Amino acid sequence: MTKKLHTIEENNTWEIGGKTLSSRLLIGSALYPSPANMEEAIKTSEAQIVTVALRRQAAGDKAGGDFWEIIKSLNIHVLPNTAGCHSAKEAITTAQMAREVFGTNWIKLEVIGDQYNLQPDPFETVKAAEVLIKEGFEVFPYTTDDLVVAKKLADVGCKIIMPWGSMIGSGKGLMNPSKLKAIREKFPELKLIIDAGIGKPSHAAQAMELGYDGVLLNSAIALAQDPVKMANAFKYAVEAGRLGYESGAMQQREFASPSTPTVGTPFWHQFS
């Protein structure tokens, strides 16, 4: 009898924000060539969490309504974000509005401190996170790869932290893998998601190999020449990276080591 091969979904379910999921890829909903292309890419990715900007939905025009109908039809979890906010007060107000509009206590907290590189403001982010957690939100804070900031967020009650790989939309991948690894090792009990800077499937695989719980990306799929095909690539990259982490990669060596032993007589010599 052929042994049944278990699927990723069967073997790799995980929990975040009180939800049990099978996909570790979180996907954005902006920048796609068309709504239809966005819908197909998200479906192909098999992501179960999609980020949505409140300001897009709150615009109230027909395009915004059509967009929201597509998102609802996907039947996946919505993660509203506070994109465009520059202070804790602004982010808190936006989060409160998002909870009413989308009917969820999840919020991706973004408080931008520098408009040039879109680096999050650590002080305002921590301040906003503390207030929102007290108000019953499940906060997904976007931050840099700074270990101290991650600790501050954990101290105010964040169970999820989302360090950047590099600047938003840069596609540079993981600028500081050693810093990201330090955060993973420091907070084994937290859910850690790489958010921002991922440009290639290999970047996503690298993040997962570090032991991160998931990857959130948007531009790398939406701006690809073929977003749907790229969504498929990222789906498999995230799965491969996670399996690589769980299986325990071999340690690097400073010397060569042959995979085929050279000691002894080759087996075919006995037939000569």
Side-chain angles (χ1 to χ4, degrees), residues 34 94 130 221:
S34 70
T94 301
E130 184 172 16
I221 291 177

Side-chain angles (χ1 to χ4, degrees), residues 56-128:
R56 180 171 185 175
Q57 170 60 19
D61 58 10
K62 184 178 184 300
D66 292 344
F67 166 81
W68 181 228
E69 287 304 314
I70 291 174
I71 294 297
K72 288 192 293 185
S73 73
L74 293 170
N75 196 31
I76 59 179
H77 301 292
V78 174
L79 176 59
N81 66 49
T82 63
C85 293
H86 293 81
S87 69
K89 182 179 180 180
E90 188 180 7
I92 291 166
T93 300
T94 301
Q96 292 167 338
M97 293 171 61
R99 180 160 57 182
E100 295 299 318
V101 172
F102 297 107
T104 178
N105 70 330
W106 282 11
I107 192 71
K108 179 187 174 187
L109 177 61
E110 296 181 37
V111 186
I112 300 302
D114 182 86
Q115 198 59 38
Y116 175 73
N117 65 7
L118 300 180
Q119 181 169 326
D121 184 320
F123 308 103
E124 295 296 294
T125 298
V126 172
K127 186 188 302 183

Side-chain angles (χ1 to χ4, degrees), residues 128-144:
E130 184 172 16
V131 172
L132 291 172
I133 287 170
K134 289 178 179 178
E135 293 188 2
F137 282 89
E138 190 71 67
V139 179
F140 292 62
Y142 163 60
T143 182
T144 62

